[in-house]
Amino acid sequence: MRSMASSISSKGIAAIVGVGPKLGRSIAHKFAHEGYTVAILARDLGRLSRFAEEIAREEKAQVFAIRIDCSDSRSVKEAFEGVLSLGFVEVLVYNAYQPVPWRPTNFTDIPLDSFYKSLAVSSIGAFLCAQQVLPGMVERRRGTILFTGCAASLNGIAGFTELCCGKFALRALCQCLAREFQPLGVHVAHVIIDGIIGPSRGLTVTQRGLVGEQQQSGRAEEGSTMMDPDSLAQTYWHLHVQDRTGWTQEIDLRPSPSRFY
């Protein structure tokens, strides 16, 4: 766990689970910019620590990097012992997912352990993380939990059984938690990302190139219909600060087709 500043924010902790070079990092940047102490969690602690240093430096914020394996209940418990030791977790963003091949996989060729892993990361990990933070939110009658979904959350897709089953379960979890905990002051929402997320427009040319190298080939051309993660992060922030008289439970985000530009 890395500390990058001198004192914990009075606003509470924003815990971002599943922080990679695009959306997770942009969400962490946004909440740090708004004055939150941020805990960023993912499996690759080395890369995560570099993100923590970058965010802390640029946003003048307190940032902690904590390793987590969302498919392992013991890892989730240990990670959140660290997060909760920082103070009250006011915001949980669950952005973790298990990468799957971009090309369709025949159903009969899907290994059972691969199917289990996708379910574990997409939905069971979300269940475990939410269990860690909800008691504190209910006690204070405030808090926000945001789950990241995708087009596979809504429709079964031939050849993508692992992804769809995990994301369907995540959406169901979100709806159950919203109905149980929103009357207790906790805002729970599901964000459907229906598109390909590209590098942040806020990155330097060199940084954009490095992120672009990590993209799966053959999906989309940069600058066509890719979604800017910084813009998406603005929506996560908007959901968090919504007035409780008009809370959003689910929102879908997609890029405007390039032919309309």
Side-chain angles (χ1 to χ4, degrees):
M1 191 163 64
R2 291 285 184 87
S3 171
M4 299 300 167
S6 58
S7 62
I8 300 295
S9 168
S10 61
K11 288 189 174 182
I13 310 300
I16 318 299
V17 180
V19 173
K22 292 182 282 186
L23 180 58
R25 181 168 65 170
S26 289
I27 295 171
H29 262 289
K30 179 59 180 175
F31 278 87
H33 181 75
E34 297 295 340
Y36 278 80
T37 294
V38 177
I40 56 175
L41 300 93
R43 281 177 289 197
D44 188 339
L45 185 58
R47 183 173 70 171
L48 203 62
S49 296
R50 293 192 295 274
F51 292 161
E53 292 169 357
E54 167 203 300
I55 297 166
R57 181 179 63 253
E58 294 182 4
E59 306 297 349
K60 304 297 188 292
Q62 179 103 353
V63 184
F64 295 85
I66 302 174
R67 186 187 183 280
I68 192 171
D69 179 349
C70 294
S71 68
D72 182 341
S73 60
R74 180 175 178 179
S75 175
V76 173
K77 184 175 184 299
E78 291 176 350
F80 273 87
E81 285 176 355
V83 175
L84 292 168
S85 72
L86 302 173
F88 165 52
V89 177
E90 183 178 335
V91 183
L92 170 66
V93 177
Y94 192 84
N95 189 54
Y97 77 103
Q98 178 65 19
V100 297
W102 286 120
R103 294 186 177 184
T105 302
N106 291 331
F107 175 74
T108 53
D109 294 333
I110 299 172
L112 181 59
D113 61 346
S114 178
F115 184 74
Y116 272 134
K117 186 79 170 182
S118 185
L119 285 176
V121 174
S122 290
S123 55
I124 298 176
F127 167 88
L128 294 169
C129 292
Q131 278 195 331
Q132 294 292 317
V133 303
L134 273 166
M137 293 180 176
V138 171
E139 180 182 351
R140 293 166 178 81
R141 299 191 70 83
R142 67 185 176 96
T144 302
I145 299 178
L146 305 174
F147 298 105
T148 299
C150 62
S153 305
L154 302 176
N155 300 291
I157 305 171
F160 293 93
T161 302
E162 300 159 273
L163 178 65
C164 293
C165 288
K167 289 298 185 179
F168 262 61
L170 178 66
R171 186 177 188 231
L173 173 68
C174 179
Q175 292 184 3
C176 292
L177 294 184
R179 284 166 173 76
E180 182 173 354
F181 291 102
Q182 287 192 169
L184 302 178
V186 182
H187 185 192
V188 183
H190 185 226
V191 184
I192 299 171
I193 307 296
D194 187 7
I196 307 302
I197 301 174
S200 166
R201 289 197 295 263
L203 297 178
T204 66
V205 173
T206 300
Q207 288 172 324
R208 286 171 63 84
L210 291 174
V211 174
E213 289 174 4
Q214 299 172 23
Q215 304 264 29
Q216 295 287 343
S217 61
R219 293 290 293 170
E221 293 292 332
E222 183 179 349
S224 56
T225 57
M226 281 193 175
M227 306 174 79
D228 175 36
D230 290 347
S231 297
L232 298 176
Q234 294 283 352
T235 297
Y236 284 76
W237 173 253
H238 171 70
L239 291 170
H240 171 55
V241 298
Q242 273 185 323
D243 188 271
R244 64 189 303 160
T245 60
W247 273 347
T248 296
Q249 181 176 315
E250 183 168 84
I251 185 170
D252 60 330
L253 306 173
R254 58 181 55 87
S256 174
S258 58
R259 67 177 178 272
F260 294 134
Y261 292 163

